Amino acid sequence: MSQYQLNHLKQLEAEAIYIIREALSLFERPVLLFSGGKDSITLFHLLKKSYYPQKIGIPLLHVDTGHNFQETISFRDTFVQKEGVKLMVASVEESIDKGDVVEEKGVGASRNFLQSATLMKSIEENQFDCLFGGARRDEEKARAKERFFSHRNEFGEWDPKNQRPELFGLQNGHLRRGEHFRVFPLSNWTELDVWQYILEEKIDLPSLYFAHERRVFERQKTIYAYENYVQLSPEEEITIKNIRFRTIGDVTCTGAVESTADSVEKVIEEIKMAKVTERGTRMDDQRSETAMEDRKKQGYF
């Protein structure tokens, strides 16, 4: 890695730590949204640096659909035990069982869209006023509209036309009762930045991010992992391919790419050559032109 790249990463790291410390100084009940994906793991690493020499003083919150990759859940549980942090799990399956949300049925059904209601209930019950998230502006056009401090009203709604200015790096954390902020310290990072930082800092990741053999099927020119609860259409068939995932979410909507990249260095080289965006393989973003923005307005990450 060149000296320029190292300096660039150090600048991004310093900016992220500044945002984290600003939020920690302004809010009383912060929490880290933790999916077990590379961005939330990188954000946790930056939180550790922000708290140093003390230990992280906030809990982790995972919104579990019940259809997550088993590798993600295993990594999550090992991770929190190793780091000695508190993990809170908001269960979409419990929301379904209680009748708070209605599960989709049929081909293409996904629980991913039910996460907003489960998350909002957890925010209300725990009175969180700040949720750290690993979203980045380069991921998707709706996320490109985000500020570092993303204000949400008492219903968890996000209004992209009514965000607070962040002139000269100043943050406005004023809240009314019931409102909260989503804080995104990685806003100015790219997918490549995250991977280069992971390489430089030697950060461990779930095995899903690296090439492995898996049962898959193809839908709308995208490869998806096959699990027993995934319903196939008559023309879809299960095959075995060597793949890896660029993002990690609900199994039912997270697409994969064919790959032989089995190390961080090889993944970085692959990303440099990629012609499809990181979330270009996500089925949940393909339902409509404004799918992500619509979900964000309803309380999504």
Side-chain angles (χ1 to χ4, degrees):
M1 192 178 299
S2 69
Q3 190 60 46
Y4 171 80
Q5 289 172 316
L6 287 173
N7 290 340
H8 173 66
L9 291 178
K10 287 299 180 184
Q11 289 175 352
L12 289 174
E13 179 189 70
E15 179 184 61
I17 290 174
Y18 168 77
I19 294 298
I20 290 169
R21 288 176 172 168
E22 279 290 293
L24 291 174
S25 71
L26 290 170
F27 302 111
E28 296 180 359
R29 296 186 64 83
V31 67
L32 169 62
L33 290 171
F34 189 80
S35 66
K38 69 181 186 310
D39 297 316
S40 61
I41 293 169
T42 298
L43 186 51
F44 179 89
H45 187 80
L46 290 162
L47 267 164
K48 285 179 69 174
K49 291 196 173 191
S50 302
Y51 267 99
Y52 185 82
Q54 294 180 319
K55 291 185 177 181
I56 287 183
I58 66 173
L60 278 55
L61 174 63
H62 182 208
V63 181
D64 184 359
T65 66
H67 288 169
N68 292 103
F69 291 95
Q70 186 53 52
E71 293 95 327
T72 305
I73 300 301
S74 298
F75 182 92
R76 179 201 70 184
D77 293 343
T78 302
F79 182 86
V80 296
Q81 185 175 14
K82 175 186 174 183
E83 296 291 345
V85 291
K86 179 182 179 182
L87 173 69
M88 305 173 71
V89 178
S91 172
V92 171
E93 195 150 346
E94 283 186 14
S95 297
I96 294 170
D97 292 341
K98 291 177 180 178
D100 295 334
V101 293
V102 178
E103 185 167 18
E104 295 181 349
K105 302 293 182 182
V107 176
S110 176
R111 290 181 175 180
N112 192 62
F113 310 96
L114 309 181
Q115 292 182 86
S116 298
T118 304
L119 174 60
M120 287 306 303
K121 185 175 181 180
S122 182
I123 292 171
E124 183 179 358
E125 290 177 347
N126 295 283
Q127 298 183 329
F128 294 130
D129 56 4
C130 167
L131 287 80
F132 288 105
R136 308 187 322 271
R137 293 189 184 119
D138 76 315
E139 290 181 271
E140 203 272 344
K141 57 188 178 183
R143 286 185 169 168
K145 300 177 183 180
E146 286 282 19
R147 305 287 174 87
F148 284 113
F149 277 34
S150 179
H151 175 264
R152 305 297 173 102
N153 66 19
E154 63 271 27
F155 303 107
E157 296 170 332
W158 172 67
D159 182 358
K161 297 180 180 179
N162 186 28
Q163 295 199 72
R164 298 176 181 181
E166 296 181 337
L167 302 174
F168 311 110
L170 299 175
Q171 311 299 326
N172 183 346
H174 178 71
L175 287 173
R176 296 184 180 88
R177 185 176 179 83
E179 298 177 340
H180 70 275
F181 274 91
R182 309 286 172 90
V183 176
F184 303 117
L186 302 182
S187 289
N188 288 335
W189 297 50
T190 65
E191 180 188 12
L192 184 59
D193 291 330
V194 171
W195 277 101
Q196 288 178 330
Y197 189 75
I198 287 167
L199 176 64
E200 180 65 20
E201 297 289 312
K202 299 179 174 61
I203 298 172
D204 292 331
L205 295 177
S207 58
L208 291 166
Y209 282 111
F210 305 102
H212 60 287
E213 201 173 73
R214 198 178 199 97
R215 290 196 304 166
V216 299
F217 66 97
E218 190 168 324
R219 178 175 292 165
Q220 296 177 351
K221 298 182 180 180
T222 301
I223 300 168
Y224 295 96
Y226 176 75
E227 298 292 345
N228 293 334
Y229 47 77
V230 174
Q231 184 173 334
L232 302 180
S233 62
E235 65 273 12
E236 293 171 342
E237 60 180 29
I238 301 169
T239 59
I240 296 177
K241 291 187 177 182
N242 214 45
I243 59 148
R244 75 175 192 86
F245 295 90
R246 292 174 70 183
T247 68
I248 293 180
D250 188 286
V251 171
T252 58
C253 64
T254 304
V257 293
E258 288 194 74
S259 174
T260 57
D262 56 3
S263 67
V264 175
E265 291 87 350
K266 291 179 181 178
V267 169
I268 289 173
E269 292 306 310
E270 189 175 271
I271 291 170
K272 289 178 180 178
M273 301 296 291
K275 295 182 179 179
V276 178
T277 62
E278 182 180 4
R279 291 188 66 94
T281 57
R282 291 290 294 256
M283 189 186 298
D284 48 337
D285 290 350
Q286 298 172 12
R287 291 202 172 187
S288 72
E289 283 291 321
T290 60
M292 170 67 83
E293 185 161 328
D294 293 341
R295 296 201 308 280
K296 285 173 68 65
K297 288 177 180 179
Q298 296 167 7
Y300 188 72
F301 310 138

